[in-house]
Amino acid sequence: MFKTIEDRSANTVEILVEGVAHRVPANISVAAAALLCGLGSVRETPVSGAGRLPYCMMGICFDCLMKINGQPNQRACQVMVAADMTVERQLGAAEFEDL
Ligand code: FES
């Protein structure tokens, strides 16, 4: 569905995605990085547990909610990757104490 546009810059950063280190281009969103890293889903819905992947990539659909650097409910398409960032799938609703 999504295709990577060739990037001639060599700038990359290392991020932890679900506890696994990945080197990704420095100028992409966390949602793009999650797709690039091959995550099968970035979150599971609170009601049915169905897996979701980023859809609109522009902050509208909220299907890309992830836990980024320990903060739940982050729209991954609106956050750019940064060195040593930790990215986790969001499973169901965020716990109240997480907010
Ligand atoms: S992909 Fe739709 S809000 Fe992020």
Side-chain angles (χ1 to χ4, degrees), residues 72-95:
N73 292 328
Q74 301 297 303
R75 286 177 295 169
C77 68
Q78 299 299 297
V79 179
M80 300 301 283
V81 294
D84 302 321
M85 179 178 265
T86 60
V87 179
E88 301 166 77
R89 296 171 64 229
Q90 184 161 313
L91 306 177
E95 297 296 322

Side-chain angles (χ1 to χ4, degrees), residues 23-45:
R23 186 153 288 280
V24 298
N27 59 349
I28 65 174
S29 69
V30 173
L35 292 170
L36 196 59
C37 295
L39 284 189
S41 66
V42 298
R43 72 177 184 103
E44 291 180 356
T45 62

Side-chain angles (χ1 to χ4, degrees), residues 31 53-65 75-78:
L53 281 169
Y55 181 67
C56 71
M57 301 297 277
M58 59 183 189
I60 305 297
C61 73
F62 286 71
D63 267 341
C64 64
L65 293 181
R75 286 177 295 169
C77 68
Q78 299 299 297

